[in-house]
mmCIF file of all heavy atoms in Angstrom:
data_model
loop_
_atom_site.group_PDB
_atom_site.id
_atom_site.type_symbol
_atom_site.label_atom_id
_atom_site.label_comp_id
_atom_site.label_asym_id
_atom_site.label_seq_id
_atom_site.Cartn_x
_atom_site.Cartn_y
_atom_site.Cartn_z
ATOM 1 N N PRO A 171 76.873 48.711 -242.596
ATOM 2 C CA PRO A 171 76.542 47.414 -243.179
ATOM 3 C C PRO A 171 77.396 46.307 -242.584
ATOM 4 O O PRO A 171 77.052 45.072 -242.738
ATOM 5 C CB PRO A 171 76.886 47.503 -244.721
ATOM 6 C CG PRO A 171 77.924 48.608 -244.693
ATOM 7 C CD PRO A 171 77.592 49.537 -243.524
ATOM 8 N N ILE A 172 78.460 46.570 -241.893
ATOM 9 C CA ILE A 172 79.287 45.546 -241.320
ATOM 10 C C ILE A 172 78.693 44.968 -240.013
ATOM 11 O O ILE A 172 78.332 45.696 -239.127
ATOM 12 C CB ILE A 172 80.668 46.148 -240.977
ATOM 13 C CG1 ILE A 172 81.349 46.657 -242.179
ATOM 14 C CG2 ILE A 172 81.604 45.020 -240.387
ATOM 15 C CD1 ILE A 172 82.686 47.409 -241.952
ATOM 16 N N THR A 173 78.465 43.629 -240.077
ATOM 17 C CA THR A 173 77.734 43.005 -238.928
ATOM 18 C C THR A 173 78.556 42.275 -237.987
ATOM 19 O O THR A 173 77.980 41.689 -236.989
ATOM 20 C CB THR A 173 76.639 41.982 -239.516
ATOM 21 O OG1 THR A 173 77.429 40.954 -240.223
ATOM 22 C CG2 THR A 173 75.776 42.733 -240.520
ATOM 23 N N SER A 174 79.870 42.236 -238.094
ATOM 24 C CA SER A 174 80.713 41.372 -237.226
ATOM 25 C C SER A 174 80.611 41.659 -235.755
ATOM 26 O O SER A 174 80.434 40.807 -234.890
ATOM 27 C CB SER A 174 82.202 41.500 -237.609
ATOM 28 O OG SER A 174 82.626 42.884 -237.592
ATOM 29 N N TYR A 175 80.559 42.986 -235.381
ATOM 30 C CA TYR A 175 80.359 43.357 -233.952
ATOM 31 C C TYR A 175 78.957 43.057 -233.410
ATOM 32 O O TYR A 175 78.737 42.644 -232.341
ATOM 33 C CB TYR A 175 80.700 44.895 -233.735
ATOM 34 C CG TYR A 175 82.085 45.061 -233.355
ATOM 35 C CD1 TYR A 175 83.133 45.042 -234.296
ATOM 36 C CD2 TYR A 175 82.472 45.307 -232.060
ATOM 37 C CE1 TYR A 175 84.482 45.268 -233.906
ATOM 38 C CE2 TYR A 175 83.796 45.532 -231.662
ATOM 39 C CZ TYR A 175 84.764 45.562 -232.629
ATOM 40 O OH TYR A 175 86.112 45.693 -232.275
ATOM 41 N N ARG A 176 77.961 43.242 -234.288
ATOM 42 C CA ARG A 176 76.612 42.937 -233.926
ATOM 43 C C ARG A 176 76.426 41.445 -233.696
ATOM 44 O O ARG A 176 75.813 41.030 -232.736
ATOM 45 C CB ARG A 176 75.623 43.426 -234.907
ATOM 46 C CG ARG A 176 75.571 44.907 -235.152
ATOM 47 C CD ARG A 176 74.389 45.456 -235.715
ATOM 48 N NE ARG A 176 74.109 45.009 -237.094
ATOM 49 C CZ ARG A 176 74.540 45.571 -238.241
ATOM 50 N NH1 ARG A 176 75.221 46.738 -238.131
ATOM 51 N NH2 ARG A 176 74.211 45.180 -239.413
ATOM 52 N N ASP A 177 77.031 40.647 -234.569
ATOM 53 C CA ASP A 177 76.907 39.186 -234.481
ATOM 54 C C ASP A 177 77.643 38.641 -233.230
ATOM 55 O O ASP A 177 77.190 37.713 -232.667
ATOM 56 C CB ASP A 177 77.514 38.548 -235.715
ATOM 57 C CG ASP A 177 76.767 38.868 -237.012
ATOM 58 O OD1 ASP A 177 75.588 39.266 -236.840
ATOM 59 O OD2 ASP A 177 77.314 38.657 -238.087
ATOM 60 N N ARG A 178 78.686 39.351 -232.809
ATOM 61 C CA ARG A 178 79.512 38.821 -231.726
ATOM 62 C C ARG A 178 79.181 39.560 -230.423
ATOM 63 O O ARG A 178 78.657 38.986 -229.473
ATOM 64 C CB ARG A 178 81.033 38.968 -232.014
ATOM 65 C CG ARG A 178 81.932 38.487 -230.948
ATOM 66 C CD ARG A 178 83.367 38.459 -231.545
ATOM 67 N NE ARG A 178 83.796 39.678 -232.215
ATOM 68 C CZ ARG A 178 84.325 40.765 -231.553
ATOM 69 N NH1 ARG A 178 84.432 40.685 -230.228
ATOM 70 N NH2 ARG A 178 84.657 41.855 -232.171
ATOM 71 N N VAL A 179 79.417 40.891 -230.358
ATOM 72 C CA VAL A 179 79.298 41.604 -229.153
ATOM 73 C C VAL A 179 77.823 41.939 -228.905
ATOM 74 O O VAL A 179 77.337 41.761 -227.750
ATOM 75 C CB VAL A 179 80.111 42.946 -229.191
ATOM 76 C CG1 VAL A 179 79.915 43.706 -227.894
ATOM 77 C CG2 VAL A 179 81.555 42.658 -229.404
ATOM 78 N N GLY A 180 77.030 42.298 -229.896
ATOM 79 C CA GLY A 180 75.637 42.649 -229.756
ATOM 80 C C GLY A 180 74.842 41.476 -229.288
ATOM 81 O O GLY A 180 74.016 41.632 -228.301
ATOM 82 N N VAL A 181 75.024 40.379 -229.832
ATOM 83 C CA VAL A 181 74.285 39.152 -229.460
ATOM 84 C C VAL A 181 74.641 38.725 -228.035
ATOM 85 O O VAL A 181 73.840 38.326 -227.227
ATOM 86 C CB VAL A 181 74.503 38.009 -230.469
ATOM 87 C CG1 VAL A 181 73.921 36.698 -229.989
ATOM 88 C CG2 VAL A 181 73.914 38.336 -231.772
ATOM 89 N N MET A 182 75.924 38.842 -227.673
ATOM 90 C CA MET A 182 76.328 38.494 -226.411
ATOM 91 C C MET A 182 75.661 39.405 -225.310
ATOM 92 O O MET A 182 75.167 38.909 -224.258
ATOM 93 C CB MET A 182 77.908 38.689 -226.258
ATOM 94 C CG MET A 182 78.396 38.449 -224.840
ATOM 95 S SD MET A 182 80.146 39.077 -224.651
ATOM 96 C CE MET A 182 79.817 40.863 -224.753
#
Side-chain angles (χ1 to χ4, degrees):
I172 301 172
T173 65
S174 55
Y175 266 77
R176 299 201 295 270
D177 294 341
R178 181 169 51 87
V179 181
V181 169
M182 176 195 67

